[in-house]
Amino acid sequence: EGRGPVTDRRPTGALEREVLAQLWTMPEGGTPADVLEAMDSDLAYTTVMTILTRLWQKGLVTRRRRGRAYVYRPKLTEAEMAAERMRATLEAASDPKAALSLFVHTLTSRETRALRSLLDEATRSRRR
């Protein structure tokens, strides 16, 4: 039986995020087989290999040959990638101040305290 209706498919980019999430748990990087095993899913090996190749073509991972396979490693940490995406989104906004305001109002109290602490730290380091 097939995969089911198109609505059962993952959103665009979801598989790439899942594969990256697995790579972030592998300090020495991983082959397509390593990633597939860690994902514990019904994906085909070739699907994982294709996703890793796309990530490499996009410059998000590096690869080096090990035997007949490549070992892939993320170029950025998860936090670095999230920060880059936030920066790109903010730069793309026609009204960055409004976007920041709306974002800040979605933060929990704990996140607000963390942000305030980081802003205070950044302000102190700029004064030096």
Side-chain angles (χ1 to χ4, degrees):
E1 190 165 37
R3 281 188 54 97
V6 174
T7 56
D8 287 349
R9 299 186 69 164
R10 290 174 176 89
T12 302
L15 272 178
E16 288 182 0
R17 287 189 298 276
E18 289 177 40
V19 167
L20 274 171
Q22 290 307 319
L23 286 176
W24 282 318
T25 69
M26 301 174 178
E28 302 303 314
T31 63
D34 296 332
V35 172
L36 181 61
E37 182 180 334
M39 289 180 75
D40 189 34
S41 77
D42 61 350
L43 293 175
Y45 174 87
T46 53
T47 301
V48 174
M49 191 170 61
T50 298
I51 293 164
L52 286 165
T53 300
R54 283 187 194 150
L55 291 169
W56 175 72
Q57 290 169 337
K58 290 178 177 183
L60 298 174
V61 299
T62 61
R63 71 180 188 184
R64 65 176 164 71
R65 192 167 282 284
R66 183 198 300 155
R68 295 177 61 191
Y70 284 105
V71 174
Y72 294 84
R73 293 182 72 183
K75 281 189 173 180
L76 302 174
T77 66
E78 184 177 12
E80 289 168 333
M81 187 170 289
E84 273 195 10
R85 285 183 179 148
M86 289 189 292
R87 167 57 49 202
T89 300
L90 191 58
E91 287 174 357
S94 60
D95 187 348
K97 184 176 179 181
L100 273 174
S101 176
L102 290 168
F103 172 73
V104 166
H105 285 89
T106 68
L107 299 177
T108 65
S109 296
R110 184 178 189 176
E111 292 165 337
T112 301
R113 286 190 304 275
L115 179 59
R116 184 170 284 120
S117 173
L118 290 167
L119 290 170
D120 289 345
E121 184 180 310
T123 302
R124 283 191 302 273
S125 69
R126 287 188 183 128
R127 289 182 185 154
R128 292 180 192 156

